[in-house]
């Protein structure tokens, strides 16, 4: 995503209304890496494909390559990663999201499509909410990071704004790991 014209600091880039968010369907008290109701709603929308209210976003997600997160890798791949690192990577148990979270916490059985959706929610979600368009921005921290956003709260719109002046042609970046309200 690139700026077509100069954008001033604090200018609103996106305003996503609550009805355009994929959520758990209500407030969530205990947000973990995988929020079961949000993932189930994502699965439902992904299965609807073109009939989904979120069709453009769902099609974008369905076009993503599976296996981006170590939790989706084979046991051999996970073992190799751990042997190279000597430990697990943050956040938490990144190789065990499916086996340690999705199966027991959400009472799910092995199913490639549902596991793909669960990992998409981990990879692209903001806690228990998926935000179309916003999560399609590229990630980059440091001097390149040029956006900020309101707190992501169930039932409220999400505003994304320029954190500094952005020149025409400059790529618009968000951060996937700097949380303004954590």
């Amino acid at each position: 995503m690139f700026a077509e014209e100069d954008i001033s600091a604090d200018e609103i880039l996106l305003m996503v209304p609550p009805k355009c968010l994929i959520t758990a369907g209500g407030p969530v008290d205990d947000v973990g890496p995988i929020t079961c109701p949000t993932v189930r709603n994502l699965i439902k929308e992904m299965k609807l494909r073109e009939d989904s209210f979120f069709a453009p976003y769902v099609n974008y997600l369905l076009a993503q390559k599976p296996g981006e997160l170590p939790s989706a890798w084979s046991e051999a791949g996970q073992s190799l990663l751990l042997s190279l690192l000597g430990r697990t990577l943050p956040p938490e148990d990144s190789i065990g999201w499916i086996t340690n979270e999705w199966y027991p916490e959400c009472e799910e059985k092995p199913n490639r499509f549902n596991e793909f959706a669960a990992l998409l929610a981990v990879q692209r979600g903001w806690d228990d909410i998926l935000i179309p368009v916003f999560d399609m921005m590229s990630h980059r921290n440091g001097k390149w990071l040029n956006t900020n956003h309101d707190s992501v709260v169930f039932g409220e719109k999400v505003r994304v704004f320029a954190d500094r002046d952005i020149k025409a042609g400059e790529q618009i970046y968000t951060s996937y790991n700097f949380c303004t309200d954590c």
Side-chain angles (χ1 to χ4, degrees), residues 34 71-72 78 93-105 108-111 114-119 122:
I34 294 178
S71 286
Q78 291 174 357
D93 181 17
S94 60
I95 65 168
W97 280 320
I98 295 299
T99 56
N100 300 336
E101 296 273 340
W102 179 240
Y103 295 157
E105 299 295 322
E108 290 289 332
K109 305 247 184 294
N111 175 304
N114 293 358
E115 292 166 11
F116 176 57
L119 291 177
V122 169

Side-chain angles (χ1 to χ4, degrees), residues 8 10 14 26 36 41 47 54-55 64 70 77 86 88 103-105 108 110 126-127 145 151 163 172 177 182:
S8 300
D10 297 323
L14 297 172
C36 306
N41 286 337
K47 287 180 177 177
F54 304 97
Q64 301 302 300
T88 60
Y103 295 157
E105 299 295 322
E108 290 289 332
W126 294 84
D127 292 331
L145 179 59
S151 294
D163 202 32
I172 298 173
N177 65 335
C182 294

Side-chain angles (χ1 to χ4, degrees), residues 6-11 145-146 162-168 170:
D6 289 349
I7 300 171
S8 300
D10 297 323
E11 189 172 331
L145 179 59
N146 52 17
D163 202 32
R164 61 170 173 78
D165 290 342
I166 302 171
K167 298 288 183 205
E170 186 177 345

Side-chain angles (χ1 to χ4, degrees), residues 28-36 92 97 101 121-122 126-129:
V28 175
D29 293 329
D30 185 27
V31 176
I34 294 178
T35 303
C36 306
E92 300 178 27
W97 280 320
E101 296 273 340
V122 169
W126 294 84
D127 292 331
D128 59 320
I129 298 173

Side-chain angles (χ1 to χ4, degrees), residues 16-29 31 35 37-38 41 126-131 150-158 181:
V16 185
K19 73 176 187 176
C20 294
L21 307 174
I22 298 176
T23 70
V28 175
D29 293 329
V31 176
T35 303
T38 301
N41 286 337
W126 294 84
D127 292 331
D128 59 320
I129 298 173
L130 288 141
I131 309 170
D150 292 337
S151 294
V152 179
V153 178
F154 178 79
E156 295 183 18
K157 66 183 172 230
V158 176
D181 59 355

Side-chain angles (χ1 to χ4, degrees), residues 1 11-16 132-134 137 158-161:
M1 199 176 289
E11 189 172 331
I12 293 176
L13 304 175
L14 297 172
M15 195 169 327
V16 185
V133 182
F134 186 32
M137 290 180 181
V158 176
R159 291 181 330 129
V160 180
F161 51 91

